[in-house]
């Protein structure tokens, strides 16, 4: 009926400094992403498809971080680290939903950059306002079904052994370690589903950037090439951080998981949502101009 989250560390002397550190990161995450959303809303120069996607990206980062950080912060100061079965399941469901939505949204943004650079004369026709809403809606819809399937196979088994989750939130691998008598079939289904989902979005991103690279290399002007690469730099950085830690965590066999998993989890659930506003603002002349 309940689990006990072991948290980020069992060292008492480290818990207060970690609380201050993670609280600062969470505050910066909220302020940075809300700032990006507000700036895009009030600046007519940023009312373009790319910044429409970026608004949803910032919104997902806020939700994604909020699913994890408040609970983690509370557990760092509390002796009672119990979480009910239903709360644990809901935390995982919302985490899986927003994580999957962000994954698909990054693929949508890669396609947007592909059309902008490879078919600039048709960009307004292809990436219309209606098409943007359809892409975003489809990413949320697919994320919802992904989250439901993963949650079902993670929490659908019997929990009759130990109740200690060796993590700071209800993630798939630590929870599956508590399923008895055998969780191999659930692990296989979730691993296959995650592989299809992540590899599918990765293929869209890879094909988009291969096409962009071919188009850029055919450009005669060095200035045009530099401008095209600069346009994609922020997105490529966000993709590298998100998918790098994601591949490390979820596309390795269950037996390979080790102590570095908590570090990787902290990076993509807490640190990455904080970094994204800086990646998209400090390297973007339009955003800096609108902010000024």
């Amino acid at each position: 009926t309940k689990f006990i989250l072991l948290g980020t560390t069992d060292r008492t002397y480290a818990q207060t400094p970690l609380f201050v550190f993670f609280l600062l990161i969470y505050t910066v995450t909220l302020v940075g992403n809300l700032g990006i959303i507000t700036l895009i809303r009030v600046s007519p120069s940023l009312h373009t498809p790319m910044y429409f996607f970026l608004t949803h990206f910032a919104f997902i980062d806020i939700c994604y971080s909020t699913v994890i950080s408040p609970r983690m912060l509370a557990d760092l100061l509390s002796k009672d680290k119990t979480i009910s079965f239903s709360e644990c399941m809901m935390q995982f469901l919302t985490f899986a939903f927003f994580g999957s939505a962000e994954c698909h949204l990054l693929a949508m943004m890669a396609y947007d950059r592909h059309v902008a650079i490879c078919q600039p004369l048709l960009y307004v026709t292809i990436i219309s306002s209606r098409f943007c809403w359809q892409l975003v809606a489809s990413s949320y819809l697919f994320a919802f079904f992904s989250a439901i399937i993963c949650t079902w196979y993670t929490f659908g088994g019997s929990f009759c052994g130990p109740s200690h989750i060796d993590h700071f939130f209800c993630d798939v691998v630590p929870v599956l370690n508590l399923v008895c008598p055998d969780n191999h079939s659930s692990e296989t289904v979730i691993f296959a589903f995650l592989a299809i989902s992540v590899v599918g979005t990765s293929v869209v991103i890879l094909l988009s950037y291969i096409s962009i690279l071919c188009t850029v290399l055919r450009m005669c002007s060095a200035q045009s090439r530099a401008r095209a690469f600069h346009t994609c730099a922020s997105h490529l950085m966000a993709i590298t951080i998100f998918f790098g830690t994601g591949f490390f965590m979820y596309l390795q066999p269950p037996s390979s998981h080790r102590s570095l998993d908590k570090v990787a989890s902290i990076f993509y659930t807490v640190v990455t949502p904080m970094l994204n506003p800086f990646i998209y603002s400090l390297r973007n002349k339009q955003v800096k101009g609108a902010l000024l």
Side-chain angles (χ1 to χ4, degrees):
T1 58
K2 63 182 179 180
F3 299 108
I4 299 171
L5 292 168
L6 298 184
T8 52
T9 180
D10 57 356
R11 296 176 177 86
T12 307
Y13 65 86
Q15 290 178 351
T16 302
L18 283 175
F19 172 83
V20 175
F21 177 65
F22 289 134
L23 179 62
L24 179 63
I25 289 178
Y26 182 54
T27 304
V28 173
T29 299
L30 292 180
V31 173
N33 284 289
L34 283 171
I36 287 284
I37 293 171
T38 305
L39 186 64
I40 292 171
R41 292 289 184 187
V42 301
S43 303
S45 62
L46 300 182
H47 291 176
T48 63
M50 183 177 78
Y51 295 106
F52 171 79
F53 291 127
L54 185 55
T55 300
H56 285 273
F57 191 68
F59 168 73
I60 289 172
D61 272 344
I62 291 170
C63 299
Y64 187 64
S65 181
T66 301
V67 169
I68 306 299
S69 294
R71 175 76 204 197
M72 180 181 67
L73 290 168
D75 285 344
L76 282 169
L77 297 182
S78 173
K79 292 183 179 180
D80 181 16
K81 294 179 170 60
T82 58
I83 182 171
S84 70
F85 182 88
S86 58
E87 285 176 329
C88 189
M89 185 170 64
M90 284 305 299
Q91 186 188 48
F92 177 76
L93 176 67
T94 49
F95 162 75
F97 171 73
F98 289 115
S100 181
E102 182 155 331
C103 184
H104 288 91
L105 196 59
L106 283 168
M108 307 296 181
M109 293 168 79
Y111 177 71
D112 172 71
R113 293 298 83 208
H114 157 73
V115 178
I117 293 172
C118 301
Q119 297 173 288
L121 299 178
L122 298 174
Y123 180 74
V124 178
T125 306
I126 296 173
I127 310 294
S128 63
S129 177
R130 182 181 178 183
F131 186 61
C132 288
W133 277 108
Q134 288 173 343
L135 288 176
V136 169
S138 65
S139 68
Y140 284 132
L141 186 64
F142 193 86
F144 175 74
F145 286 117
S146 300
I148 291 291
I149 292 169
C150 288
T151 304
W152 174 261
Y153 278 98
T154 302
F155 290 88
S158 299
F159 295 88
C160 52
S163 59
H164 292 75
I165 298 176
D166 188 15
H167 214 35
F168 58 90
F169 74 101
C170 296
D171 202 3
V172 57
V173 175
V175 172
L176 283 177
N177 287 337
L178 305 181
V179 175
C180 57
D182 179 29
N183 63 359
H184 180 69
S185 58
S186 295
E187 285 179 344
T188 304
V189 171
I190 292 171
F191 180 83
F193 193 80
L194 286 172
I196 292 169
S197 180
V198 174
V199 171
T201 51
S202 299
V203 167
V204 173
I205 292 168
L206 185 62
L207 292 177
S208 296
Y209 276 101
I210 288 174
S211 179
I212 288 170
L213 183 62
C214 293
T215 302
V216 169
L217 293 177
R218 288 197 299 267
M219 292 177 178
C220 300
S221 168
Q223 187 178 1
S224 298
R225 287 197 296 270
R227 192 186 301 115
F229 280 126
H230 183 77
T231 302
C232 300
S234 300
H235 185 243
L236 277 172
M237 202 178 297
I239 288 170
T240 303
I241 294 171
F242 184 82
F243 278 92
T245 50
F247 277 127
F248 176 83
M249 271 300 299
Y250 298 113
L251 294 186
Q252 59 175 319
S255 58
S256 302
H257 287 275
R258 47 194 181 274
S259 58
L260 284 176
D261 285 0
K262 283 187 183 180
V263 178
S265 297
I266 287 170
F267 201 81
Y268 74 80
T269 58
V270 180
V271 179
T272 302
M274 178 196 69
L275 292 178
N276 284 333
F278 296 101
I279 291 171
Y280 280 99
S281 59
L282 295 179
R283 296 187 56 86
N284 192 307
K285 291 181 180 178
Q286 281 183 291
V287 172
K288 287 192 286 188
L291 186 60
L292 290 172

